[in-house]
Amino acid sequence: MEAKQVMVKSVLDAWNARMEAANKLLDSFSDDDLLKEVAPGRNRGIYLVGHLALVHDRMLPLLNLEEQTYAHLEDTFLNKPDKSVSDMPSVKEVRAIWKEVNEKLAKHFASLSTDEWFQKHSAVSAEDFMKEPHRNRLNVVIGRTNHMQYHIGQVALIKK
Amino acid sequence: MEAKQVMVKSVLDAWNARMEAANKLLDSFSDDDLLKEVAPGRNRGIYLVGHLALVHDRMLPLLNLEEQTYAHLEDTFLNKPDKSVSDMPSVKEVRAIWKEVNEKLAKHFASLSTDEWFQKHSAVSAEDFMKEPHRNRLNVVIGRTNHMQYHIGQVALIKK
């Protein structure tokens, strides 16, 4: 196995393992649990799951895979803090969005070739990518796995 | 820049950026803040920082860099839950251990060559490594960055 393949495996194995653990955690909570704050005065579970789903939805165009689907929910889950919007989707809807977005990513991830993982993402220019070749698709997945972990560690604090 | 170098940069940049953010967060808390639970009935800040410091201390032998220093604190921060041992070090001591361990790692990380990052870690046999070459040093750093994020997201919930 060449170095490129080895690295793609490391990064995708980490993403997949953390995603599996996140799904197991979320499945262990009732819908009512996810309406609780992770700590007094902090974000609710539903907000953090929606926030992660929206960030993952944005990975689709960032990785040049397809258009994002849920731009209309960016105010709710990205631009505005929790408990500041009145028209938040239900927990069931947020669970469905989370599942759908991650399944789209999984399908694309499985189809990319090793070399395609080392291609630039859409937020870096061709010129900058010549100078900074680490700004590739794989780097995005490393960053987003870290981001998911940060918030899933918080969701794990919700009392059942 | 060849693919191997690109990947080492991605993984170490992520580790360093998350470490810098973690240190900034910890510096923003008083010693008294770190004695608080991150959420009611959950781990205290001091326990999570000690836990991360011990896991990072173990990275030294796992990455074949040097012996670990704080094995005598494994009961306190790894094997037993928070609030179950009476002889916990002070917040100042835990902060010093965290700093020292991470500085050791940083020094070693800066001195490893690109190829050395693709060598096996100490918890995999030479035979298994032939079949699973992704079980290299870089893979350990990917996993430990994710682990740090999980708990730092929790520490961030402490109210100042």
Side-chain angles (χ1 to χ4, degrees), chain A residues 10 40 139 146 153-154 157 159, chain B residues 10 40 42 139 146 153-154 159:
Chain A
S10 276
N139 196 52
N146 284 329
Q154 299 175 328
L157 298 172
K159 287 275 176 68
Chain B
S10 275
R42 300 300 193 181
N139 196 52
N146 284 330
Q154 299 176 328
K159 289 275 175 68

Side-chain angles (χ1 to χ4, degrees), chain A residues 3-4 6-7 9-10 14 38-40 42 118 133-134 136 138-139 142 145-146 149-150 153-154 156-159, chain B residues 3-4 6-7 9-10 14 38-40 42 118 133-134 136 138-139 142 145-146 149-150 153-154 156-159:
Chain A
K4 274 185 174 180
V6 165
M7 284 312 309
K9 180 167 171 56
S10 276
V38 300
R42 300 300 192 181
F118 287 85
H134 67 287
N136 54 41
L138 218 47
N139 196 52
I142 293 172
T145 312
N146 284 329
Q149 285 302 96
Y150 186 90
Q154 299 175 328
L157 298 172
I158 295 173
K159 287 275 176 68
Chain B
K4 274 186 175 180
V6 164
M7 283 312 310
K9 181 167 171 56
S10 275
V38 300
R42 300 300 193 181
F118 288 85
H134 67 286
N136 54 40
L138 218 47
N139 196 52
I142 291 172
T145 312
N146 284 330
Q149 284 303 97
Y150 186 90
Q154 299 176 328
L157 298 172
I158 295 173
K159 289 275 175 68

Side-chain angles (χ1 to χ4, degrees), chain A residues 55-79:
Chain A
V55 169
H56 292 186
D57 187 44
R58 278 186 164 190
M59 289 172 73
L60 292 163
L62 183 58
L63 296 172
N64 289 311
L65 302 172
E66 61 177 280
E67 289 305 301
Q68 68 178 135
T69 306
Y70 296 101
H72 59 285
L73 290 176
E74 292 199 347
D75 259 7
T76 307
F77 292 117
L78 286 179
N79 304 331

Side-chain angles (χ1 to χ4, degrees), chain B residues 44-105:
Chain B
R44 290 174 299 164
I46 183 176
Y47 181 84
L48 291 175
V49 178
H51 174 75
L52 288 171
L54 265 284
V55 169
H56 292 186
D57 187 43
R58 279 186 164 188
M59 288 171 73
L60 292 163
L62 183 58
L63 297 172
N64 289 311
L65 302 172
E66 61 178 279
E67 289 305 301
Q68 69 177 131
T69 307
Y70 295 101
H72 59 285
L73 290 176
E74 291 199 345
D75 259 7
T76 308
F77 292 117
L78 286 180
N79 304 332
K80 293 185 179 168
D82 190 19
K83 293 161 268 182
S84 69
V85 295
S86 54
D87 60 341
M88 181 169 277
S90 70
V91 173
K92 278 191 177 42
E93 286 167 322
V94 174
R95 285 188 194 271
I97 294 168
W98 164 258
K99 189 162 178 271
E100 182 202 326
V101 167
N102 292 325
E103 281 174 358
K104 277 187 195 175
L105 286 172

Side-chain angles (χ1 to χ4, degrees), chain A residues 2 4 8 62-65 108-121 129 135-139:
Chain A
E2 59 155 332
K4 274 185 174 180
V8 170
L62 183 58
L63 296 172
N64 289 311
L65 302 172
H108 286 293
F109 285 8
S111 76
L112 287 179
S113 71
T114 299
D115 281 335
E116 283 171 334
W117 278 109
F118 287 85
Q119 291 170 351
K120 79 178 195 67
H121 59 67
F129 188 62
R135 298 175 70 181
N136 54 41
R137 284 165 158 157
L138 218 47
N139 196 52

